[in-house]
Amino acid sequence: MQRHGDDDDDDDPMQAINNHDKVYGKTFLVHDLSGSLLPELEERGAMRRNDYYIPVSGEEKAADFGNTKDGGVSQYSKYDSIPLNSLKSDEAASGPKQGPTFQDGQRRVDYVLTYHVQKPQSVCRKTSRFADYHILRSLRRSLSMMRSGDTPPSKEDPEIAAHKHRLDYHEDDKRFRQTEFEDNLREMGLELEKDEGNKIPGIGFLKIHAPWNVLCREAEFMKLKLPTKKVYEVKQGSNVVERINLFIHKVTAPLHPKVEPNRPQNVKHLSHPFSREKQHLFDLSDRESFFDSKTRASIVYEVLKRTRCTKAKYTMGITSLLGNGVYTAAYPLHDGDVDGMGAEANDRKILYEEWASYSVFYKYQPIGLIRKYFGEKIGLYFAWLGVYTQMLIPAAIVGVIVFLYGCATVDNDIPSMEICDPRNNITMCPLCDRACSYWKLKTACGTARASHLFDNPATVFFSIFMALWATMFMEHWKRRQMRLNYIWDLTGFEEEEQAHKDHHRAEYEIQVMQKTLKKQDMYPKDKKVKLTCTDRAPAYMMGLFLMLFMIGVTFAVVFGVILYRISIKAALHMSSNPTARSNIRATVKGTAAVINLVIIIIMDEVYGAVARWLTVLEVPKTDKSFEERLIIKTFVLKFANAFSPIVYLAFFRGRMVGRPGDYVYVIGSYRMEECAHAGCLMELCIQLCITMLGKQLIQNNLFEIGIPKIKKLIRRRKSEMDSQQQEDYNMTLQRHEKDHFLGPFVGLSPEYMEMIIQFGMVTLFVASFPLAPLFALLNNIIEIRLDAKKFVTEVRRPIAARAKDIGIWYNLLRGLSKVAVIVNAFVISFTSDFIPRLVYQYMYSPDGSMHGFVNHTLSYFNVSDFKPGTAPLQPMHLGYEVQICRYKDYRETLWSNTPYDLSKEFWAILACRLAFVIVFQNVVMLMSDFVDWLIPDIPKDISLQIHKEKILMVELFMKEEEGKKLLRDNHTNQSPFQPRSRPASHTPSNC
Amino acid sequence: MQRHGDDDDDDDPMQAINNHDKVYGKTFLVHDLSGSLLPELEERGAMRRNDYYIPVSGEEKAADFGNTKDGGVSQYSKYDSIPLNSLKSDEAASGPKQGPTFQDGQRRVDYVLTYHVQKPQSVCRKTSRFADYHILRSLRRSLSMMRSGDTPPSKEDPEIAAHKHRLDYHEDDKRFRQTEFEDNLREMGLELEKDEGNKIPGIGFLKIHAPWNVLCREAEFMKLKLPTKKVYEVKQGSNVVERINLFIHKVTAPLHPKVEPNRPQNVKHLSHPFSREKQHLFDLSDRESFFDSKTRASIVYEVLKRTRCTKAKYTMGITSLLGNGVYTAAYPLHDGDVDGMGAEANDRKILYEEWASYSVFYKYQPIGLIRKYFGEKIGLYFAWLGVYTQMLIPAAIVGVIVFLYGCATVDNDIPSMEICDPRNNITMCPLCDRACSYWKLKTACGTARASHLFDNPATVFFSIFMALWATMFMEHWKRRQMRLNYIWDLTGFEEEEQAHKDHHRAEYEIQVMQKTLKKQDMYPKDKKVKLTCTDRAPAYMMGLFLMLFMIGVTFAVVFGVILYRISIKAALHMSSNPTARSNIRATVKGTAAVINLVIIIIMDEVYGAVARWLTVLEVPKTDKSFEERLIIKTFVLKFANAFSPIVYLAFFRGRMVGRPGDYVYVIGSYRMEECAHAGCLMELCIQLCITMLGKQLIQNNLFEIGIPKIKKLIRRRKSEMDSQQQEDYNMTLQRHEKDHFLGPFVGLSPEYMEMIIQFGMVTLFVASFPLAPLFALLNNIIEIRLDAKKFVTEVRRPIAARAKDIGIWYNLLRGLSKVAVIVNAFVISFTSDFIPRLVYQYMYSPDGSMHGFVNHTLSYFNVSDFKPGTAPLQPMHLGYEVQICRYKDYRETLWSNTPYDLSKEFWAILACRLAFVIVFQNVVMLMSDFVDWLIPDIPKDISLQIHKEKILMVELFMKEEEGKKLLRDNHTNQSPFQPRSRPASHTPSNC
């Protein structure tokens, strides 16, 4: 619709030249492919640049327009663009046709920088000498605005207003830097267009286009592997394998998203790092689509990162410029609208329909398209999430089977039968001092039967299965990753990642500046200042201290919940209300678990903020290092938060109880909690279930769906338009303006973190809760589409980052699956009754059956040994006088020499438990390592194909070689002593 | 000395052309660097080839000469070369001046192929249709000759003579293939020279030279990273670090080998993958030395691997040709003599003097030079061996300290004091049935004191230390490897390794041929035949079976030694000779350990052969796969062999003994061995010591020094010359003839394997033998120089293989160091008395000291409970009647309800032992992982430098870009529409 506020007199010559190019371009392309076209264009480009360059008139004019911003939007949009090309404006009303372009409708917008348009009085004062600390202060302020996630508010801050005069200098400096930066960008060959008089007041847009020669150059530097003309057939192995694959493909056809309809599956273009000298290898017939939009954006970003402002006092790269508010945001543009009716088919729309929708939840993800649109890093996240979800299916199925096995065998379980049997008239010792009285074991019948659901031999099998499952998952993912690397032509790409490292973070540069300023007096100026450990020591100490404190808080919370449970239980026991007393256990367990859940969710957010704050304090040098430090901190805190109540339940509860007559007390008179008769497994299970379900439901629904909605609502409120107006207004917006309203992309870490915690839930305590994989599966099916929606519709398009793997997350997963083995070993041997049962059956049982097991686990207590004041107040509660009560422990009998001492059975069972841990841990680890070793990391067909590609490549080069030699020979024959010029026929240099 | 038997009329034109080239070459190099020279040469080369090519006269003549071989050596060497250039022969008498060259003295010999020169009657019959099975038979025969390690004997085999007629065909076929192969090599651009009439009868040499253009081309294909002209300064970090480094360097100066005297240490050439298009980047002023000899050889090898004979029925590559005896050997040449007096300084000589000599044992190795001469793979082996040896120094020191601590505290050890105290009059139960009698505990005093040397709390510390040491070693090696990768410009080299994979082994190809022949009737011919699992199944089954059998044999041997020990002990006990009886223990232990050692050494060789045989049976596809399979098999067998006696001693001995009155018997009436009173640790220690020392001494001295000497002697005997004659004869030999007499290079596997087994000894049972690192250190200091001597003087020069890491060996090391943790945990908790002592001290001791420990470990036995016929024959041996004797075990007392049952103490101690294992294993593993995580794999300075290099490279290219653009602009201005030719000034194409 072309109603931009345009700095027209600058752009006109540009456009003219471009039209000129177009005409010439076509002529040349017909006549001559050997590449005389581009240098010429470039040359003229350079001339143009020189003409264009000396007066910075564009900025001046723009600043003038910026002044009129209070006058509303429509005023100068008409003033500007209607006279220019009113014919086009109707045509383009439904949105730009083939991606967003410059005014000329030809050059794609590959990237957008936004900046504040300020008051006009401070035009072009090219001074930059002013108090250094003031820069720093304002830098920091704008930085903290950045931090808050969105662009700084355009309203005037009272604090800022106070520093009006200084700010003028500051604005000047910004403008000066902008000018320099843009000059440098043009120097690098990029083409720029400014758009200040647009619909969004106060914001200027700098649209960046990368012309063909820049794209080629950067692609070469970045060693981008691109498809060559050479096509070869991918063989699927032998006939049988091929047929099976075809069959599988047919069967699963409805599960495949409809994104690439007619692509032949078994041919692949040979890829080669792009090189202008080898241009003839590549199919350059369609230059528009040779580099796709994400590649173009990442190329521009690469150039931006390399470009630096050096004229002012401190060298600044794009990150610093963004951090300092010279620019407010930098983003590439989305391909098009997702839901406009007239919108043409574009990748974003296809993704929206075939991926980011709950209605396609059963389908595979279109990973290829995701990668094409968002780049490899995000592609890998979704591929990983997909693999994880897929792998959860068998785990969920086996988990359900194990659970059903528990249900089916609950009636055959001899120990619970014995507990429920009214003939076994066993009197148990009271569960609390004074208030509680003796009780009959058979009242624990329900708990015992419920425990069996989760504590049966199948659980042991299941936790071995899950340990191997985790290994299989890691292996499967490694292979999938390798396959994607191959398909995405990332094989051989390795080191480029390190290049990303070195772009310093804005905060780091500010710190360095500050340090430089301080040190200037002491040291000669040329010495390079770095942040050393001593600079960071306070932050490190602070970090360590706060981390420990936070973990302490977590433990305190757990302990608080324990106290809550103990005191509530005692209170309820004392209450005379019979219904309250009968529901004691359920009430206490339920409320405690819910309290835990609520605290976990609240603390989760707190810890996230603390970790980020601590990481900022440490001032890491690069974004990568920042990310890693943040991830580790967040991981430690969130993990401790999510798992400490569970770990307490699994390993500590009921262990430090003492025995009747010699109980362990905490804080005065609170007796430590005991487990229910059939072990703590049941409670662990309840806690896990509530934590997992609650966390997922609340975090997904509330935080991931609810809050963005509310934010949107608030934003809409602020703009003070009703929905119809809003819609109309939206329709008239340009792509870069629409994208500006979207939230910034904040990285994949939160998504990964959520999944890792879930993975921990699924693997760490799977021995106690076999349904965990099922819950995880259900959650993930929703999670995938939720994340997809977010990326497609709610955030700005992220810059495509190349990545071969998922980085640190893989290590965390690996670490978790290792820890899971030992945790499960302990859960099975110590929390469950598995080992005592086995030991009883094979060492003590008179007839080799489980009969008598319950009796065997109970020790005797003489009620006369109660300490004074702890005996029950109502000793006759059961209707008879109790002489000897029973309690669950292995202790010497009353008639032995040392009554109440730990018995030989205790030590024997302990030894067996420990032996089981050792055997379990080492066998499972060995099996995992074996599986790891057995499954090659690189799928065989992929390694064969990589090899084949390499041979084809050498063949191709050899053939070329031959051709060259022939040509050269001919040449030499004609003029044997003339300096040889390269045979041009083979290398048409289009760049 | 140029007295070759030369096929002169073929070589004359070649030489002429080369002289011609030389003259022209110089002229051109002055006038014109833009590369008009080479294409011309090439072109003429192509013409020459065509002239040269149609009649295969060279081979015919050569065959004629071959006929006269009985006439001795001197005859035709005179006949040939004296008339050619008798002037040169004096000059060159002391050996070729600058490496071995062709006849013309100009072109270097980069590679040599040898073949048999046969009887002349079968000249040039170009038939190749004969019975297929006959080829296969003869192929296999020649293959099995190959296998035997040396070239096939030139004498006539009676079996071969019987197939005279068929062999003629065979020889024809060989000749035919040779011709084709050589044609193909010339096609690829290599230059060849034959040398058949030389001093070694029956052997023909094909000398290969790679001309400049081939070197360039292949270097580009192989993506060899080569130093560019661009030099940059390597910064050593801050001033302080730099000064420290300088200081360290100065202090250690005498430890550095004198190989690169005046190279500036802090500048480095920027490296870039060689590309002819970017030739201007490289310093090509000295073409002779731009590619060093090992690079030239590996380039030729690369071409050889790619070249295939396709005309005959079966396509054959160089490996098949070698396997089938078409060629008998293929090797690059050494640089020169090591000990000739007049020999000029060459890399080999420097290596011999500064590295392969015992007199420099205290120096660092010249790794850079080793790599330059032998290539990266061998360089990495020696670097690894160096790092390992270096890391052994602290381990040895700590080990000695721990041992000394044991020595120092032996007098303060309460348990051994109690044993030695005559006042503790403890009567022990007899050690064998009937023959032995009761004995006093204080006779075990010596053993108890000796045990303390190796079984004290310091040992626990030491095994934790060694577990961390192993991790540190792995980490240190990873860093060193990374550093070497950087220094050797291997960063970025990654995939090339896989290319090596695909060259099929000759055996594999023969098998495939055979299968093809069989299947021809059934299937259409074009279907590609592969060896599938079903083809290999018998071999796999066989392998599995034999491996299990061999491991069974190992166990049987161990069991045999046990029986030997038991029976000898019983026999000695029964003998009446008092001196024999007093030395019983020492004698038995000593002889048993020696027997074990001898068996281990013998079986080691057997197992090596078996593993190789099994791997050959499996017919692996590629050399790499062959090597891996062989390594795994050898490792399993040799490891089982070396460690099974030790494992028995550590974990099984003394466990299945039973108790007095209820002993465990094996094979009739042999009672299982008990340990000495202070545990089996002492015996484990003796066994380890003897195995380690003996293995190293015998294997090093006998196998690595003795046998090669003997072989040489035998070879000399065979040649029937006295030493003076021999020496004179040696002097007259050419380089390629001399090298032919050296043994073939058989790979690094045996060297690595030896070291891995040693590493196992050092880490696995280090808890029981803290001196192991010391012994290993002493051995390795010798081992390095021994291996060095072997590589420099005794074997042919290996083909330089590029490698980034030590491959499978790293994984084995990792695996070992993981296993070591658990093994040491078990040794400490079960084999040593560490846990029982701790438990006694903290749970049972009345006063918290160790007093009473010995009494606590001994149970009571009522002699009346002896089974009939097992009571001692001489019950009054001690001079009094014994009612109750003691034995070492935790069992219920006589007066309990269940006497002789395992007691509560037993279970408690068992639980503690197991808990210790769990804690030790997990803590050490955690610490290892932590160390692993803490130490970055890539040293920081290296990663900084890699990054810096990358930036410099981009800068370089950008600058070039600018230059190009300027030039192009100028060009376009002059003639705007003319097809652009590349600016030649930037890319002088010398290739």
Side-chain angles (χ1 to χ4, degrees), chain A residues 28 34-36 39-40 42-43 217 220-221 276-278 492 494-495 498-499 502 632 804 818 822 826 843 892 902-904 907-908 910-911 914-915 917-918 921-922 925 929 933 938 946-947 950 957-958 961 964-965 968-969 972-973 977-980 982 989 991, chain B residues 28 34-36 39-40 42-43 217 220-221 276-278 492 494-495 498-499 502 632 804 818 822 826 843 892 902-904 907-908 910-911 914-915 917-918 921-922 925 929 933 938 946-947 950 957-958 961 964-965 968-969 972-973 977-980 982 989 991:
Chain A
F28 278 119
S34 70
S36 68
E40 198 200 339
E42 258 174 61
E43 194 262 332
R217 189 188 66 209
E220 186 173 331
F221 288 167
R276 282 163 296 174
E277 275 136 357
K278 296 211 165 65
E494 178 191 24
E495 315 146 77
Q498 294 186 327
D502 216 50
I632 288 174
K804 269 191 112 164
K818 271 186 190 173
I822 183 98
F826 274 101
M843 275 175 73
E892 295 275 358
L902 294 173
S903 66
K904 193 157 119 183
W907 290 109
L910 182 62
L914 291 167
V917 170
I918 295 175
Q921 183 186 2
N922 287 294
M925 267 169 39
D929 281 353
W933 175 80
I938 305 175
I946 291 174
H947 182 67
K950 218 164 279 161
F957 285 148
M958 279 306 281
E961 204 69 22
K964 263 191 201 164
K965 210 163 70 184
R968 209 153 49 195
D969 290 354
T972 331
N973 280 350
F977 294 108
Q978 176 189 309
R980 183 169 53 84
R982 286 250 153 162
S989 340
C991 280
Chain B
F28 278 120
S34 72
S36 69
E40 196 202 340
E42 256 174 63
E43 194 262 333
R217 190 188 65 208
E220 186 174 329
F221 288 167
R276 282 163 296 173
E277 276 136 355
K278 297 211 162 64
E494 178 191 24
E495 316 147 74
Q498 294 188 326
D502 215 48
I632 290 173
K804 268 191 113 163
K818 272 187 189 172
I822 182 99
F826 273 102
M843 274 177 71
E892 296 275 358
L902 294 172
S903 67
K904 196 159 117 181
W907 290 109
L910 183 62
L914 290 167
V917 170
I918 294 175
Q921 183 185 1
N922 287 295
M925 267 169 37
D929 282 353
W933 174 80
I938 304 176
I946 290 174
H947 182 65
K950 217 163 283 160
F957 285 149
M958 279 306 280
E961 204 69 20
K964 262 190 203 164
K965 212 165 67 185
R968 212 153 47 193
D969 291 354
T972 333
N973 281 349
F977 294 109
Q978 175 189 309
R980 184 172 51 86
R982 288 252 152 161
S989 341
C991 282

Side-chain angles (χ1 to χ4, degrees), chain B residues 214-469:
Chain B
V214 172
L215 291 176
C216 289
R217 190 188 65 208
E218 296 297 324
E220 186 174 329
F221 288 167
M222 288 163 77
K223 291 178 194 150
L224 285 183
K225 266 196 168 181
L226 291 168
T228 61
K229 275 182 258 181
K230 176 97 182 168
V231 166
Y232 75 99
E233 205 184 336
V234 176
K235 270 205 178 158
Q236 296 283 348
S238 68
N239 271 344
V240 185
V241 177
E242 211 164 311
R243 247 177 257 162
I244 292 172
N245 278 347
L246 205 71
F247 177 74
I248 291 174
H249 195 82
K250 251 184 198 163
V251 168
T252 59
L255 298 183
H256 287 279
K258 291 174 213 120
V259 286
E260 290 150 82
N262 293 317
R263 206 171 58 99
Q265 283 287 323
N266 52 351
V267 294
K268 190 177 185 287
H269 283 270
L270 208 60
S271 291
H272 193 259
F274 186 80
S275 156
R276 282 163 296 173
E277 276 136 355
K278 297 211 162 64
Q279 252 183 93
H280 54 282
L281 292 176
F282 301 94
D283 179 17
L284 302 181
S285 58
D286 185 6
R287 283 190 183 182
E288 274 308 307
S289 63
F290 184 72
F291 295 107
D292 55 16
S293 59
K294 80 134 201 277
T295 312
R296 297 175 72 101
S298 61
I299 284 174
V300 172
Y301 184 62
E302 199 62 31
V303 177
L304 283 179
K305 282 199 298 183
R306 217 170 43 230
T307 309
R308 314 204 134 248
C309 287
T310 51
K311 281 186 195 155
K313 201 157 184 183
Y314 314 111
T315 303
M316 277 180 166
I318 179 69
T319 45
S320 302
L321 292 174
L322 278 169
N324 297 339
V326 177
Y327 294 100
T328 52
Y331 51 89
L333 296 183
H334 273 300
D335 264 10
D337 285 318
V338 288
D339 45 6
M341 290 157 302
E344 219 175 299
N346 57 55
D347 285 345
R348 194 186 178 199
K349 203 179 171 196
I350 298 173
L351 280 176
Y352 183 70
E353 285 162 0
E354 285 295 323
W355 177 53
S357 158
Y358 293 118
S359 61
V360 291
F361 74 93
Y362 58 91
K363 284 189 183 179
Y364 289 104
Q365 300 179 79
I367 294 294
L369 193 63
I370 298 169
R371 174 251 180 175
K372 190 175 162 229
Y373 193 74
F374 290 113
E376 284 80 6
K377 206 171 173 186
I378 293 177
L380 275 177
Y381 167 68
F382 282 104
W384 176 81
L385 194 53
V387 167
Y388 175 45
T389 307
Q390 238 178 336
M391 287 293 288
L392 275 175
I393 295 172
I397 291 171
V398 176
V400 169
I401 290 172
V402 166
F403 180 72
L404 291 179
Y405 171 83
C407 293
T409 57
V410 71
D411 288 331
N412 304 326
D413 183 44
I414 296 170
S416 56
M417 273 159 69
E418 281 187 346
I419 289 175
C420 297
D421 192 346
R423 284 170 298 174
N424 288 327
N425 192 11
I426 295 172
T427 308
M428 300 295 289
C429 296
L431 288 171
C432 60
D433 291 351
R434 294 167 59 90
C436 316
S437 181
Y438 307 105
W439 55 288
K440 289 275 188 196
L441 183 58
K442 76 166 193 291
T443 56
C445 173
T447 327
R449 285 172 64 89
S451 273
H452 178 77
L453 299 183
F454 299 103
D455 185 4
N456 57 56
T459 320
V460 179
F461 155 76
F462 189 57
S463 52
I464 295 173
F465 171 82
M466 283 304 284
L468 293 184
W469 173 86

Side-chain angles (χ1 to χ4, degrees), chain B residues 3-62:
Chain B
R3 294 197 284 170
H4 319 216
D6 194 9
D7 37 349
D8 43 6
D9 55 6
D10 284 317
D11 252 306
D12 268 347
M14 249 188 198
Q15 202 166 352
I17 285 168
N18 268 292
N19 290 335
H20 181 220
D21 288 356
K22 221 174 10 178
V23 176
Y24 275 138
K26 276 177 186 155
T27 329
F28 278 120
L29 280 169
V30 174
H31 287 296
D32 169 19
L33 274 166
S34 72
S36 69
L37 173 65
L38 262 156
E40 196 202 340
L41 291 186
E42 256 174 63
E43 194 262 333
R44 266 181 291 139
M47 278 162 55
R48 183 201 70 206
R49 235 169 275 142
N50 289 337
D51 297 345
Y52 175 71
Y53 217 45
I54 299 108
V56 202
S57 54
E59 279 80 355
E60 283 176 58
K61 272 210 94 168

